[in-house]
Amino acid sequence: MVQLQFCALAVLGALVAASPAAERRVHVVKSSLAEIPRGWALHGTPPTHHTIKLRIGLPQSRFADLERALFQVSDPAHPNYGSHLSKEEVEALVAPQPESLAHVEEWLASHGFAVDALDRSPARDWITIVVPVHQAESMLNTKYHVYKHTESGMEIVRTQSYSLPEYLHPHVDVIQPTTMFGGGLRAFGITSHVEVVAAVPGNETDTSCATQVTPACLQQLYNTANYTPKATDKNSIGITGYLNQYANHADLKTFYQKYLPAAADSTFTEVVINGGQNLQDPSQSGAEAALDVQYAGALTYPTPNTFWSTGGSPPLAGNPAPGQMNTNEPYLDWLNYVLQQPSLPQTISTSYGDDEQTVPLDYATRVCSEFAQLGARGVTLFFSSGDSGVGPGGQSDKSQCVSNDGNATPKFIPAFPVSCPYVTAVGGTTGKPETAVDFSGGGFSNYFAQPSYQSSAVNAYIAALGATNAGLYNKTGRAYPDVAAQGTGFRIFEGGKESSIGGTSASSPTFAGVISLVNDALIASGKPPLGFLNPWLYSGGYKALNDITSGNNPGCGTAGFSAAQGWDPVTGFGTPDFKKIVAALGLNV
């Protein structure tokens, strides 16, 4: 042990000596914003004792190998299809180079941190420190301010730019919270595009989804009604919860008593992360959490259901006590937790997102790479595509649809994390026969390139589109959504009362529920779960979906995109058909 410590210190010393002292004092901008993101306003100066939890992301040395492995285990034509990686195999691929570790540790030590006491991720690719704002400002050669979100009233502590010594730049991918404001983060269902109204009396026996949505109508519509899960000891489904959205056990029981009596005595497992809470007071329940848990559970019963309650977005009000955190970056909190778990639900649904351009590119890239780790481990990740069509404002208003790079260029506004190419994006439909719902988010990323798995389908749509919307979207960007499901008129119970709600936040847990049943059938047959769905989907799996060919998603003063035969940026390849999907996978259920 003494010899190992001596060697480590020798390496560290050699690396430090290799960097001239003058170079180590010169800070160069690492990340900056051209302007305060729209929706936020400068509000003041944080107290010097206000603490910040800084996460330092070190370069993942073999991420290209991880990505290659992800596509191999997800491609039905590859010999490694279904051979998902273990937690330890993934961690080995994303571990930073020793040189990066040494440089970052030396820098932290120079600011008074004990290297052997640092909070690290299992792969050592993240280091987390808690510092008072004045120390963060010194380390990053910046100035933090309090910014207020004009719509929600949320206050956060951020900076528009931060710097690092130039020699550190190759050894640090990202440090947050710094320039990450968010839009703010919102649920794709609790928006101005969603009506929450009193439930319509009667119609409880309607199994068509034509007038309202219940578990029974979804089971009929998506062909799951006669399937009983068989692998409930191995298969499970997970739901993420943010922004003080709490799933209520009493509401779930009431929902089941009315719509799925056989499940009335079942519930979900709640896991609290980073200050999240388990509030069971009916007055504290949330419509988003109720929707996600009630429908994911009803469609997959008796499959185990986990709800993660993740904190991370408290307001900064008045004079916060020492130690108060303020991040509004719950994705990293959630990812940091789940990636440490030895086993995970095979299917996970998330109904939240930001405008992509409000998320710094370095942060978005790193979060996206974390999703790739989950996919490599065999997890199917679903994200709602958004409830603003191609951008806010509908067909009558294009004032909000401009770039935030200082040039105010007219453009459609894609969403994140749904624009990440390692997740499956779910758009919305309505009625029967199904058509695209007009708020279904869809478009093309300005951050992430179009992945090869979708090039043929997407480019065929773009070619048919011609000059429509020219210049408003990025033809070479990752296109979304990939699939769709019902998104209006979902009956839920919230705070003991029944109501009707919609949004693509309903579509994502619905599609996830169907795929969770597919994973159950696969596992029960001795086969691996689907994992990252998109390569299978675009290579032929789409033939098992119901193609949606009518409707559009207006926004930004335009009619948006239109649904069409095959893939389109409104409903993707369409809605699920459980029996066709399992048949396409060679199963007889």
Side-chain angles (χ1 to χ4, degrees):
M1 175 65 77
V2 173
Q3 183 64 36
L4 288 174
Q5 289 177 340
F6 174 79
C7 291
L9 289 171
V11 170
L12 178 59
L15 289 169
V16 171
S19 300
E23 179 188 356
R24 308 182 75 76
R25 292 194 297 267
V26 177
H27 280 66
V28 176
V29 173
K30 177 67 175 175
S31 178
S32 65
L33 304 177
E35 57 186 32
I36 300 173
R38 254 177 302 283
W40 293 94
L42 184 64
H43 192 62
T45 302
T48 56
H49 62 256
H50 177 74
T51 54
I52 300 175
K53 181 190 289 185
L54 287 179
R55 283 199 171 89
I56 305 166
L58 283 67
Q60 297 169 329
S61 61
R62 297 176 59 197
F63 181 77
D65 293 335
L66 173 75
E67 184 182 48
R68 187 177 303 110
L70 168 66
F71 285 114
Q72 289 177 355
V73 301
S74 308
D75 180 0
H78 197 278
N80 291 343
Y81 181 59
S83 299
H84 300 117
L85 278 60
S86 68
K87 173 178 177 289
E88 291 74 21
E89 288 171 330
V90 167
E91 289 170 356
L93 292 175
V94 300
Q97 293 284 359
E99 180 184 11
S100 293
L101 275 172
H103 277 303
V104 173
E105 288 173 357
E106 181 272 332
W107 173 64
L108 291 173
S110 72
H111 286 279
F113 291 92
V115 171
D116 58 356
L118 292 172
D119 180 1
R120 308 171 189 265
S121 63
R124 301 172 72 82
D125 57 333
W126 285 100
I127 294 175
T128 303
I129 59 175
V130 177
V131 294
V133 68
H134 68 85
Q135 184 174 3
E137 291 175 337
S138 175
M139 295 173 67
L140 305 177
N141 194 31
T142 190
K143 183 68 177 176
Y144 277 88
H145 293 91
V146 178
Y147 297 86
K148 187 171 184 177
H149 193 253
T150 53
E151 181 178 336
S152 68
M154 177 184 293
E155 297 177 9
I156 60 175
V157 176
R158 294 293 185 273
T159 179
Q160 287 182 250
S161 175
Y162 75 92
S163 301
L164 290 172
E166 188 170 14
Y167 78 93
L168 271 182
H169 281 225
H171 307 292
V172 174
D173 274 349
V174 61
I175 299 179
Q176 293 292 352
T178 50
T179 55
M180 167 59 182
F181 282 67
L185 179 71
R186 61 190 181 276
F188 287 145
I190 314 302
T191 75
S192 60
H193 290 271
V194 179
E195 295 182 359
V196 182
V197 299
V200 179
N203 292 325
E204 276 79 2
T205 59
D206 177 12
T207 59
S208 71
C209 290
T211 60
Q212 64 184 22
V213 172
T214 66
C217 87
L218 291 174
Q219 289 171 338
Q220 294 295 327
L221 187 63
Y222 297 142
N223 234 342
T224 69
N226 297 320
Y227 182 77
T228 301
K230 306 175 182 64
T232 55
D233 59 332
K234 299 177 181 178
N235 186 51
S236 65
I237 187 170
I239 297 294
T240 63
Y242 303 113
L243 302 181
N244 301 323
Q245 284 281 322
Y246 307 116
N248 188 279
H249 293 276
D251 283 340
L252 180 66
K253 185 177 184 67
T254 304
F255 176 80
Y256 280 161
Q257 286 173 336
K258 181 167 185 178
Y259 291 115
L260 193 66
D265 292 329
S266 69
T267 189
F268 57 91
T269 299
E270 189 161 26
V271 177
V272 174
I273 301 171
N274 188 46
Q277 299 183 56
N278 177 11
L279 298 181
Q280 293 306 312
D281 180 344
S283 66
Q284 298 292 331
S285 60
E288 180 60 58
L291 169 66
D292 291 345
V293 166
Q294 288 167 24
Y295 278 85
L299 289 173
T300 62
Y301 173 78
T303 301
N305 182 350
T306 296
F307 178 80
W308 292 284
S309 177
T310 304
S313 58
L316 177 68
N319 295 309
Q324 179 183 352
M325 303 302 175
N326 178 256
T327 64
N328 191 33
E329 296 176 69
Y331 295 130
L332 280 181
D333 292 322
W334 178 77
L335 284 162
N336 180 62
Y337 175 84
V338 296
L339 285 170
Q340 294 185 49
Q341 306 311 305
S343 61
L344 295 165
Q346 290 82 354
T347 312
I348 297 174
S349 175
T350 297
S351 296
Y352 300 77
D354 285 306
D355 292 340
E356 186 184 66
Q357 67 174 1
T358 68
V359 180
L361 177 59
D362 56 359
Y363 175 85
T365 301
R366 190 55 184 262
V367 168
C368 188
S369 73
E370 308 294 291
F371 293 140
Q373 294 182 51
L374 290 172
R377 289 177 60 179
V379 177
T380 308
L381 293 170
F382 290 99
F383 278 80
S384 301
S385 70
D387 293 346
S388 300
V390 294
Q395 284 187 260
S396 62
D397 180 13
K398 56 185 178 183
S399 63
Q400 302 178 62
C401 298
V402 294
S403 64
N404 64 350
D405 58 1
N407 297 319
T409 305
K411 63 189 296 186
F412 290 162
I413 307 297
F416 177 83
V418 72
S419 61
C420 172
Y422 309 127
V423 306
T424 300
V426 188
T429 63
T430 188
K432 186 180 179 182
E434 290 183 276
T435 62
V437 68
D438 61 3
F439 57 70
S440 182
F444 299 78
S445 173
N446 292 313
Y447 283 0
F448 302 103
Q450 183 185 101
S452 60
Y453 62 72
Q454 68 171 187
S455 292
S456 177
V458 172
N459 289 334
Y461 180 89
I462 291 175
L465 192 62
T468 302
N469 299 327
L472 294 175
Y473 69 98
N474 176 22
K475 293 182 178 181
T476 63
R478 186 297 204 240
Y480 71 94
D482 304 297
V483 296
Q486 284 280 321
T488 62
F490 278 61
R491 301 285 284 270
I492 67 166
F493 278 86
E494 178 197 2
K497 298 179 180 179
E498 188 170 9
S499 61
S500 181
I501 190 172
T504 56
S505 59
S507 310
S508 184
T510 296
F511 205 106
V514 175
I515 294 302
S516 181
L517 294 180
V518 173
N519 280 332
D520 178 275
L522 286 167
I523 294 169
S525 300
K527 297 183 178 182
L530 283 169
F532 178 38
L533 190 65
N534 295 6
W536 171 84
L537 178 70
Y538 283 85
S539 65
Y542 66 87
K543 298 174 184 177
L545 303 188
N546 307 309
D547 194 8
I548 308 301
T549 59
S550 62
N552 64 303
N553 58 352
C556 300
T558 74
F561 297 107
S562 295
Q565 287 189 339
W567 180 89
D568 58 72
V570 190
T571 60
F573 281 118
T575 60
D577 185 314
F578 172 75
K579 289 186 177 179
K580 287 183 180 179
I581 293 172
V582 293
L585 293 167
L587 301 177
N588 182 19
V589 298

